[in-house]
Each structure stands twice: as structure tokens, then as C-alpha cells.
């Protein structure tokens, strides 16, 4: 399993070729937002292109768009997160995931445009 990161501070974990990839916000993003109070998750079955807004997260400080890190179709949303948005703060890389997306074979190359963890950590320090 490999986690990739976007410049918009989302992470995506792609386990195996035929499994859905899991998407969430990074630790850096949740720290910048502060206490998350609401999440607007995408509709299951909706397809998004890489970079499109797929949801919104609202905190006591601000609201921020959630961008699709790679093109794909949403196959599951985290209902636990909808019920308890604070999971995005307490466990952003685990139980606080946002949605799962099926990535078509033709779109797998989009992962190459994302960062690995060392590159993302350097990026996040400056942004």
C-alpha cells in the first residue's frame, strides 16, 4: 500500500489494482483548519476528474474544498465522518478518511503527478 499526496493537502492510498483508493485530508490540512465541524461528502456513483472539487470541509476557522487527487468514481463515503466530523482531526490518516474512489486503469498515470511522503513533507513546510 502506498500513500500519495496532492498539493491541495489530500492523501490517497491505493492498495491494489482492483481495490478502491481511499482519500482524506492530511495532518497538515487538519492542523491549518482547526476543529472540523462539518463535512460535505460527494455522492456515491459520481465521477470526478483530477483536481475537481469533490467535497467541502468546514471548521471553526474556515471552509476548504476537497479536491479529487486522481480521476475516478466515488464508490463509498465515510458515514462515520459525516456523523462525527472531529474524526478528521483526531485521525485524519485513518478513521477520518473522506471517501473511496475507483480509479480506471487509464487514469493510473495520474498518481505520477502526486508526491510521496518525503516530498510532501518538504512541500507542506513551505505552504
Amino acid at each position: 500500500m502506498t500513500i500519495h499526496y496532492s498539493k491541495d493537502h489530500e492523501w490517497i492510498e491505493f492498495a491494489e489494482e482492483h481495490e478502491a483508493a481511499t482519500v482524506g485530508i492530511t495532518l497538515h490540512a487538519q492542523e491549518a483548519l482547526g476543529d472540523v465541524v462539518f463535512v460535505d461528502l460527494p455522492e456515491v456513483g459520481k465521477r470526478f476528474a483530477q483536481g475537481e472539487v469533490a467535497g467541502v470541509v468546514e471548521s471553526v476557522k474556515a471552509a476548504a474544498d476537497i479536491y479529487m487527487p486522481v480521476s475516478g468514481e466515488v464508490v463509498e463515503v465515510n458515514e462515520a465522518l459525516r456523523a462525527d466530523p472531529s474524526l478528521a482531526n483526531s485521525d485524519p490518516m485513518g478513521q477520518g478518511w473522506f471517501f473511496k474512489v475507483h480509479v480506471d486503469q487509464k487514469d493510473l498515470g495520474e498518481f505520477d503527478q502526486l508526491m510521496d511522503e518525503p516530498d510532501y513533507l518538504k512541500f507542506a513546510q513551505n505552504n
Side-chain angles (χ1 to χ4, degrees):
M1 295 191 291
T2 303
I3 298 177
H4 293 84
Y5 300 85
S6 74
K7 290 183 178 179
D8 297 309
H9 304 286
E10 287 89 22
W11 59 266
I12 183 167
E13 182 177 40
F14 192 59
E16 293 183 29
E17 190 172 316
H18 298 291
E19 290 185 24
T22 305
V23 177
I25 61 171
T26 65
L27 183 61
H28 176 81
Q30 72 82 24
E31 287 173 350
L33 283 167
D35 293 336
V36 174
V37 295
F38 176 77
V39 293
D40 182 18
L41 300 172
E43 186 178 314
V44 172
K46 184 155 183 179
R47 182 165 175 74
F48 294 91
Q50 184 179 38
E52 277 191 295
V53 174
V56 175
V57 60
E58 294 181 13
S59 73
V60 294
K61 290 183 185 179
D65 291 330
I66 303 301
Y67 297 94
M68 186 64 83
V70 296
S71 299
E73 178 184 335
V74 176
V75 295
E76 184 180 349
V77 296
N78 187 351
E79 294 297 342
L81 180 65
R82 195 186 314 262
D84 182 7
S86 70
L87 289 172
N89 294 115
S90 62
D91 193 10
M93 302 291 291
Q95 293 181 21
W97 61 273
F98 279 62
F99 54 88
K100 294 187 179 187
V101 59
H102 172 76
V103 182
D104 290 336
Q105 189 76 21
K106 67 179 180 59
D107 296 322
L108 290 177
E110 293 179 354
F111 279 91
D112 296 338
Q113 299 169 28
L114 302 174
M115 294 173 272
D116 61 13
E117 186 173 17
D119 287 341
Y120 174 73
L121 293 174
K122 288 178 197 169
F123 172 82
Q125 284 180 338
N126 300 316
N127 292 291

